[in-house]
Amino acid sequence: MKSVKQVFVILVTVLSLVLILSACNSENTNSTNENNESDNNSEEASNEDSSGPIVIGFSQIGAESGWRTAETESIKDTLENDPQFELKFSDAQQKQENQIKALRNFIAQQVDIIALAPVVESGWETVLTEAKDADIPVILLDRRIEVEDESLYTSFIGSDFILEGENAAKELINLVGEDVETNIVELQGTVGASAANDRMEGFANIINENDKYNIIKSQTGEFTRSKGKEVMEAFLKSDGENIDVVYAHNDDMALGAIQAIEEYGLNPGEDIKIVSVDGISDIFEAVIAGKANIIVECNPLLGPQLAQAAKDLKEEKEIERWIKTEETVFVGAEAAEEALPDRKY
Ligand code: AHR
């Protein structure tokens, strides 16, 4: 028979073993919890990663006009001041080859979206196929491209340039009168750009319906003030007194032409009517001063529409194939004076 002392020792030993075992167990549970927590943390981190900023690579044409500067500012202001976005910006200095390089860089950096303001319409197939193969959606900004495979871009945000050209011609005929013999010189935008091709086409659509109206000269002024002035000087030299109207594909060229006309000794807005597209503040001032006549607005403030399209794409929503901008036409000093205080560019 065991003594009371022996029984006591056995009880203490059993109790100690139970205590040691339960301590080990609770340690194990704690470390499992810790592991779970760290698993949760890493899950949260990866969720954060997937909901991190939308990275947009934007290839801009350059800074040839007041309009383009306003477009760049709109996109930078919208995307750089919103933590939902990260913007990678590249200025192509008017060269398509620089835009292609920039796009390849964006693809290598695996951006979420490419925004492209294409300098010209053709020559994009190869690089856009590379973007498509990398699963990066491309949004065209302000100018269109010509591609056989329309799936190479997701959406176009911008204006109807053909309509702008048609509106320019209609307002001109309204202003001058449909029975008045009118000689027009045209300052085209960048050769090969949709903004130039379509504004030329739209304007010609309407002008060619009227025998009294003739486009006697048409040449590129490259969308810049200095080139617009230079080309207008040449037009004046060869056709001086025959010119009734300047149709400029943008305001900067119109402003250059106004300078050339003044230096030639004629009154822009009176002796030679000025019709122009864009709607920057400088042309409003020229119209108020009586030096220009018709402004066909083209809206460069595309930042908010780009941001919305990018968010929709991230949420896998369908976006419109053509996200149109809203625009109007201003004729004469009174309309320009009324509108100028509210102009944003
Ligand atoms: O593509 C839009 C055109 O490009 C603007 O009318 C012009 O000013 C610009 O540079």
Side-chain angles (χ1 to χ4, degrees):
M1 217 169 135
K2 289 193 167 89
S3 69
V4 174
K5 196 178 168 191
Q6 279 174 317
V7 170
F8 181 74
V9 170
I10 290 168
L11 266 175
V12 168
T13 316
V14 169
L15 247 174
S16 315
L17 273 172
V18 167
L19 279 174
I20 289 166
L21 277 175
S22 79
C24 283
N25 204 20
S26 100
E27 231 170 67
N28 277 346
T29 320
N30 281 346
S31 77
T32 313
N33 280 347
E34 268 164 30
N35 283 343
N36 278 347
E37 220 170 89
S38 81
D39 278 356
N40 283 344
N41 283 345
S42 65
E43 215 172 87
E44 259 169 41
S46 84
N47 279 344
E48 260 166 39
D49 286 345
S50 69
S51 64
I54 305 172
V55 182
I56 302 183
F58 172 35
S59 167
Q60 177 57 296
I61 292 168
E64 72 281 5
S65 64
W67 188 98
R68 188 140 315 276
T69 305
E71 184 192 52
T72 301
E73 278 168 11
S74 167
I75 286 163
K76 284 189 172 175
D77 284 355
T78 310
L79 302 184
E80 288 178 347
N81 292 316
D82 185 336
Q84 296 178 88
F85 301 103
E86 184 187 323
L87 174 66
K88 293 180 187 294
F89 179 78
S90 170
D91 178 335
Q93 319 256 324
Q94 309 299 316
K95 293 201 177 95
Q96 184 179 34
E97 64 197 76
N98 290 345
Q99 293 203 285
I100 292 174
K101 264 189 220 153
L103 260 50
R104 291 206 164 115
N105 251 322
F106 295 150
I107 296 168
Q109 291 174 71
Q110 296 180 307
V111 300
D112 296 311
I113 291 169
I114 289 175
L116 168 67
V119 62
V120 289
E121 284 189 286
S122 57
W124 297 103
E125 267 88 358
T126 309
V127 72
L128 292 190
T129 304
E130 291 166 27
K132 189 179 171 188
D133 291 345
D135 252 341
I136 302 175
V138 173
I139 296 179
L140 300 179
L141 285 180
D142 95 69
R143 292 187 190 172
R144 288 187 172 278
I145 58 172
E146 261 177 18
V147 277
E148 261 181 40
D149 177 1
E150 294 278 315
S151 77
L152 290 180
Y153 65 90
T154 305
S155 181
F156 164 66
I157 303 177
S159 315
D160 185 335
F161 293 145
I162 295 186
L163 186 68
E164 288 174 353
E166 288 175 348
N167 286 340
K170 284 180 189 163
E171 293 298 341
L172 173 66
I173 295 170
N174 273 345
L175 181 76
V176 175
E178 56 182 4
D179 296 325
V180 183
E181 288 279 348
T182 304
N183 289 334
I184 305 164
V185 294
E186 179 176 32
L187 293 167
Q188 301 171 20
T190 305
V191 175
S194 67
N197 293 343
D198 292 355
R199 285 174 187 166
M200 188 155 54
E201 183 183 328
F203 190 75
N205 286 346
I206 304 296
I207 292 299
N208 291 342
E209 286 172 355
N210 188 318
D211 293 345
K212 304 271 179 200
Y213 282 70
N214 293 301
I215 301 168
I216 57 169
K217 287 254 150 73
S218 183
Q219 198 179 310
T220 181
E222 295 168 5
F223 280 130
T224 68
R225 218 171 272 214
S226 56
K227 192 73 184 171
K229 180 170 186 256
E230 190 185 310
V231 175
M232 189 63 207
E233 283 165 353
F235 287 165
L236 287 162
K237 207 166 171 196
S238 61
D239 282 277
E241 309 303 315
N242 276 332
I243 303 171
D244 303 304
V245 172
V246 172
Y247 166 49
H249 290 185
N250 85 343
D251 292 342
D252 283 83
M253 293 188 296
L255 291 157
I258 288 172
Q259 250 181 290
I261 295 166
E262 285 178 326
E263 287 172 17
Y264 186 77
L266 292 173
N267 294 321
E270 284 175 31
D271 302 324
I272 298 179
K273 301 266 183 276
I274 310 285
V275 184
S276 146
V277 188
D278 273 358
I280 62 171
S281 304
D282 288 357
I283 200 75
F284 275 83
E285 275 157 17
V287 173
I288 292 166
K291 297 180 181 189
N293 309 85
I294 296 168
I295 304 165
V296 178
E297 187 185 40
C298 177
N299 188 356
L301 308 177
L302 306 183
Q305 281 157 311
L306 174 61
Q308 189 56 53
K311 282 194 266 186
D312 288 347
L313 280 179
K314 187 173 186 185
E315 287 166 24
E316 292 178 7
K317 288 186 189 158
E318 282 249 327
I319 64 170
E320 282 175 81
R321 185 76 183 149
W322 182 359
I323 300 170
K324 279 192 189 173
T325 46
E326 282 186 20
E327 285 140 6
T328 184
V329 179
F330 303 89
V331 184
E334 210 177 299
E337 201 154 16
E338 206 184 304
L340 184 59
D342 297 326
R343 299 301 297 168
K344 304 228 161 29
Y345 59 99

